[in-house]
Amino acid sequence: MNHFAGIDVGASTTKAVIIDKNREILGHSVKDSGADFKAAAEKAFAEAKKQAKKKAEDEYFVVSTGYGRRNVSFAGDTKTEISCHAKGSFYYFPESHTLIDIGGQDSKIIKVNASGNRTGFKMNRKCAAGTGAFLEEMANRLKIKLEKLNELAEKSEKDVQIGSYCTVFSATEILTKIREGVEVKDLVKGIFHSIIKRAIEMDPLEGNIVMSGGVVAHNPFLVSMFEEKLEKKIFVPPLPQLTGAFGAALFALEEKGG
Amino acid sequence: MSQEKISKIKKIQSTGHLRKIMADYFYELDRAAKEGSPKVAWCSSVGPAELLLSLGFVVHYPENHGAVLGSSRKANDYIPVANAIGYSPDICSYLTSDVGSFIKKETPLSRAYEGIEGVAKPDVLVYNTNQCRDVQDWFNWYSRELGVPAIGIHTYRNIGEIKDEYLHSIVKQTENLIPTLEKISGNKFDVDKFREVLSLSRECTLMWKKVLEANAAIPAPISFFDATIHMGPAVVLRGSPQAVEYYKVLLEELNEKIKNKDGAVENEKFRLYWEGMPIWGKLRDLAEFFIDLRTAVVASTYCNSWIFDSFDPKDPFLSMARAYTEIFIVRDENFKENYIENMVNKYKLDGILFHDAKTCPNNSNNRYGMPERLAKKLKIPSITINGDLNDLRCYSEEQAKTNIEAFIEQLESR
Ligand code: SF4
């Protein structure tokens, strides 16, 4: 077996990563998970294979992870997204650290020690607060495209506070602020702040900090804001949205790569 | 024909015996309610049951009915009914499911036991607020609804050391219940009878304790999930010879399992503590899930909460006051932490699972930093899962299972 793949079937997107024996990424892709996790996993895998320019008869050992990990029929093993994120993150940042992963439907804080073992984790899935789903809902309210959030927030020079914990309350708060004439760019920055606050509430963020996930991949300004808040540098792996899938591929390699 | 799924949960042979004594108990209650004699008392689960039994009452425990509603997965049919009359979805879901089922005039007991149409109506409601305020509000609802008195003991909570003045107050309050109870039962209080019941209750407690301690063996012979079912007699039949007899039978079976190294979980790899309420509607599902993870949930605060070893027939009032004040739920964080530490050592545990039950803050001990303090002190990891005793709207299957699975992966990688 020469090729190893990780498929991370998240609640909103499905990610695939193919690596070789040297842990080199040969191909990757991100697809919407939609309502058919199995199909999404197949699609993401097919595209990653295409990118990797591998022949159809090549064999892969696949580890699946994420919300829909059990829907990946071609996976040889499954691991939780917690373990895979820790694995992926430690590869790029091989020191003890705290990983903050902000995904589409959840946020996770994972503690990794200097040997790469997990020492603890927390996962928030109780509500959308602090996740990609929250951003989507707010963008929807403000009638702006998700891709525009980052550049809008960057332009803001104000500090608007969105205080509510709950997504519905936050939406009401935003309506009030619109009525008061607050500018959209300032609101977006306030929304970013709110995501940061939710993460800070989950765990004391001590030591080295790494951030991953789709929200981070698409909104680098959020990371800058976070750095300012924590007064330290935050490390972001090269393909932040693929951290879990990459970690799963590393597990696949460990299991079958000798 | 549908094929029944073969469960991975190993059978406990004594279960037949358990079913029989539980059925006898429910039929006895039903008969008493129908015939009007003996009188029926409802009692909170760690209320002064022994006093009631000594006065000739047959005793119904609404929390047991709450657990029946939960484990039969009926609770969520009834909780909204109570919500609608103003009892919040945030308060005890035993209360809301029980009250809802009463309003709808339905109970899973009538499906389980032919001829039983409803829960035995009370002649008196007796609580002890040692566990929470909800029992009082719960019983007061019935008191208003049915026009029967709700009386109780108001006790101390979040206490460290148990002071004499606490106990004296509880003794006094217990004694003050007697005239009302005498009047309702039609029986005169007899201290020797009280001593006798207390002595049987003590025997039951000691046997139940032995059953739980059997799990110090590796592999553990009984899972937490089974233990919550086999705990039934320790709750509703304490003070009776049947309960004592039952635990002798069960203990013998467990000892046999220990001898044969027949663990509840095949190839047991990890051993956990369960802190908090069971998730009644998911007992079986979680039991199987843990079997797949080769993880034994060995010990729990919950099952140990019906151990009252201070009962002393020589000093019935004071010792009963002590026994019902000593229990975990009444105590402060320091006591609780030491208690769990002892459990971790005694049962050789690898980790602690905290169940944060949305509607029972009283049994959710993760909320004031305890998991973090214990992890530091005991150097073993813990995990918190969000759920509820009865309200499955508060439980995300996927979230809970991913958390547990990730936790086991963490233990594996150590
Ligand atoms: S201790 Fe919790 S579950 Fe038990 S009656 Fe009180 S609130 Fe309900």
Side-chain angles (χ1 to χ4, degrees):
Chain A
M1 196 89 59
N2 288 327
H3 303 106
F4 309 91
I7 314 280
D8 178 1
V9 187
S12 33
T13 56
T14 294
K15 286 80 63 177
V17 168
I18 294 173
I19 59 170
D20 63 15
K21 262 189 156 24
N22 304 317
R23 299 177 171 74
E24 205 66 56
I25 295 185
L26 305 176
H28 57 83
S29 81
V30 179
K31 295 274 165 226
D32 280 339
S33 295
D36 186 346
F37 288 163
K38 191 167 170 278
E42 279 161 8
K43 253 212 275 191
F45 190 36
E47 192 171 305
K49 278 204 270 195
K50 210 160 113 199
Q51 205 186 70
K53 295 205 176 57
K54 290 291 151 193
K55 296 183 225 79
E57 62 274 17
D58 278 337
E59 277 185 44
Y60 294 84
F61 184 69
V62 180
V63 168
S64 62
T65 185
Y67 185 81
R69 61 188 175 279
R70 305 213 193 278
N71 297 81
V72 184
S73 51
F74 52 90
D77 198 2
T78 64
K79 288 263 179 217
T80 63
E81 50 271 41
I82 315 283
S83 292
C84 291
H85 273 87
K87 190 93 183 157
S89 158
F90 188 74
Y91 178 79
Y92 289 112
F93 196 88
E95 283 177 47
S96 88
H97 67 267
T98 298
L99 171 69
I100 306 168
D101 178 79
I102 301 180
Q105 299 272 342
D106 66 34
S107 40
K108 312 181 244 302
I109 306 238
I110 305 172
K111 305 258 181 204
V112 185
N113 68 14
S115 356
N117 289 334
R118 213 149 35 76
T119 54
F121 66 97
K122 282 181 185 158
M123 182 157 56
N124 161 41
R125 267 189 200 167
K126 260 211 260 193
C127 72
T131 72
F134 171 71
L135 273 190
E136 269 176 48
E137 170 69 20
M138 294 303 131
N140 205 5
R141 289 275 162 164
L142 295 171
K143 301 263 174 296
I144 42 181
K145 290 216 169 78
L146 262 181
E147 311 80 83
K148 293 272 177 241
L149 293 177
N150 194 63
E151 60 175 270
L152 274 168
E154 244 170 336
K155 288 194 189 118
S156 164
E157 273 157 17
K158 292 220 179 88
D159 247 337
V160 173
Q161 295 292 329
I162 313 281
S164 316
Y165 189 85
C166 153
T167 305
V168 176
F169 285 4
S170 297
T172 322
E173 223 182 318
I174 282 180
L175 286 179
T176 315
K177 296 226 164 21
I178 293 175
R179 219 174 42 214
E180 289 165 0
V182 177
E183 280 189 68
V184 170
K185 60 177 188 201
D186 300 329
L187 283 175
V188 175
K189 193 174 168 196
I191 290 163
F192 279 18
H193 258 308
S194 155
I195 294 207
I196 293 169
K197 276 187 281 188
R198 297 292 85 85
I200 288 175
E201 286 157 4
M202 281 172 76
D203 208 86
L205 300 173
E206 290 150 359
N208 301 315
I209 306 289
V210 180
M211 279 190 88
S212 68
V215 169
V216 170
H218 298 121
N219 303 286
F221 186 62
L222 190 138
V223 180
S224 314
M225 285 172 65
F226 218 137
E227 287 179 327
E228 205 174 295
K229 179 93 199 165
L230 296 179
E231 295 178 357
K232 62 177 144 192
K233 182 101 192 81
I234 292 177
F235 181 83
V236 179
L239 297 164
Q241 197 176 5
L242 295 166
T243 312
F246 179 62
L250 291 176
F251 273 121
L253 171 66
E254 257 177 34
E255 264 184 62
K256 292 283 147 108
Chain B
M1 225 171 67
S2 74
Q3 200 157 345
E4 212 179 302
K5 222 180 103 196
I6 298 167
S7 177
K8 299 162 196 147
I9 302 170
K10 290 190 193 169
K11 240 188 129 86
I12 293 178
Q13 301 304 334
S14 316
T15 309
H17 185 158
L18 173 74
R19 288 218 183 94
K20 162 93 179 52
I21 61 171
M22 291 301 279
D24 290 348
Y25 161 72
F26 284 116
Y27 279 119
E28 188 194 351
L29 262 171
D30 190 56
R31 205 177 317 115
K34 280 178 180 152
E35 292 170 6
S37 167
K39 296 294 178 196
V40 176
W42 285 17
C43 185
S44 59
S45 67
V46 278
E50 290 73 13
L51 179 70
L52 301 172
L53 292 167
S54 80
L55 277 151
F57 286 102
V58 282
V59 183
H60 166 78
Y61 298 85
E63 286 149 82
N64 172 254
H65 189 240
V68 170
L69 289 163
S71 50
S72 61
R73 302 236 201 158
K74 283 286 176 201
N76 280 97
D77 293 353
Y78 304 129
I79 292 168
V81 179
N83 295 160
I85 61 157
Y87 283 75
S88 161
D90 290 334
I91 66 164
C92 174
S93 60
Y94 273 172
L95 185 168
T96 49
S97 47
D98 180 65
V99 164
S101 91
F102 181 87
I103 294 173
K104 285 194 86 173
K105 298 192 171 56
E106 291 170 8
T107 168
L109 293 179
S110 37
R111 268 197 64 183
Y113 306 107
E114 211 190 317
I116 294 185
E117 286 109 40
V119 171
K121 291 256 169 69
D123 296 293
V124 64
L125 305 143
V126 187
Y127 56 82
N128 186 339
T129 58
N130 52 357
Q131 56 185 97
C132 64
R133 64 163 279 178
D134 296 65
V135 283
Q136 183 179 359
D137 291 288
W138 186 354
F139 286 20
N140 280 339
W141 185 85
Y142 280 105
S143 173
R144 286 188 293 269
E145 194 66 21
L146 301 172
V148 293
I151 54 178
I153 296 166
H154 297 90
T155 188
Y156 299 84
R157 294 192 35 81
N158 301 321
I159 54 176
E161 184 201 340
I162 295 171
K163 305 219 168 96
D164 284 347
E165 61 255 39
Y166 304 162
L167 298 183
H168 289 143
S169 156
I170 295 166
V171 166
K172 192 85 212 120
Q173 293 186 57
T174 313
E175 286 168 350
N176 286 345
L177 299 175
I178 293 177
T180 311
L181 295 173
E182 283 183 331
K183 209 159 111 208
I184 295 169
S185 69
N187 295 323
K188 208 95 210 88
F189 172 71
D190 172 354
V191 75
D192 289 327
K193 185 85 191 86
F194 186 27
R195 289 184 213 276
E196 198 184 299
V197 176
L198 208 67
S199 156
L200 277 167
S201 209
R202 182 183 153 81
E203 259 189 82
C204 168
T205 262
L206 296 179
M207 284 309 295
W208 174 236
K209 191 174 176 184
K210 281 190 185 151
V211 164
L212 293 175
E213 285 173 346
N215 260 7
I218 299 177
I222 181 170
S223 77
F224 161 68
F225 308 100
D226 277 327
T228 61
I229 301 297
H230 290 269
M231 193 175 92
V235 181
V236 304
L237 284 169
R238 63 182 195 263
S240 76
Q242 292 91 319
V244 181
E245 191 44 46
Y246 176 63
Y247 288 125
K248 283 186 185 153
V249 173
L250 178 60
L251 184 63
E252 202 175 305
E253 181 176 351
L254 297 186
N255 282 336
E256 193 59 29
K257 282 179 184 283
I258 293 172
K259 213 169 78 198
N260 301 329
K261 292 215 167 296
D262 180 12
V265 170
E266 206 51 55
N267 297 318
E268 174 189 297
K269 208 165 147 194
F270 299 112
R271 296 163 67 84
L272 301 187
Y273 189 74
W274 183 288
E275 167 36 54
M277 294 293 286
I279 303 170
W280 287 110
K282 294 288 167 183
L283 280 186
R284 188 191 171 87
D285 185 57
L286 284 170
E288 293 185 335
F289 184 64
F290 277 103
I291 288 173
D292 285 341
L293 294 170
R294 293 175 52 192
T295 299
V297 183
V298 171
S300 66
T301 304
Y302 184 73
C303 290
N304 275 281
S305 292
W306 277 264
I307 292 177
F308 314 109
D309 26 16
S310 279
F311 283 158
D312 179 1
K314 286 206 276 311
D315 197 353
F317 282 98
L318 188 66
S319 72
M320 186 167 88
R322 180 178 291 283
Y324 287 134
T325 303
E326 251 170 16
I327 49 176
F328 187 91
I329 197 166
V330 188
R331 313 303 290 279
D332 69 3
E333 294 277 295
N334 274 334
F335 175 91
K336 289 177 178 173
E337 278 170 46
N338 289 334
Y339 181 101
I340 294 175
E341 181 176 359
N342 286 337
M343 289 295 209
V344 166
N345 295 333
K346 181 166 166 184
Y347 291 94
K348 301 186 187 66
L349 305 177
D350 302 296
I352 305 171
L353 184 150
F354 284 84
H355 170 206
D356 187 341
K358 177 80 164 69
T359 73
C360 179
N362 314 289
N363 278 307
S364 299
N365 286 299
N366 60 301
R367 298 185 184 179
Y368 294 84
M370 194 188 292
E372 287 77 4
R373 285 194 299 276
L374 279 177
K376 222 185 235 160
K377 191 168 171 200
L378 306 182
K379 308 249 173 324
I380 62 167
S382 70
I383 174 82
T384 296
I385 61 166
N386 292 107
D388 192 51
L389 40 141
N390 269 12
D391 192 345
L392 293 177
R393 296 175 299 187
C394 308
Y395 174 71
S396 155
E397 182 104 57
E398 191 278 328
Q399 177 189 359
K401 286 190 171 168
T402 297
N403 268 300
I404 294 168
E405 210 177 318
F407 186 64
I408 302 301
E409 286 173 355
Q410 180 178 328
L411 293 177
E412 273 165 351
S413 76
R414 276 188 313 174

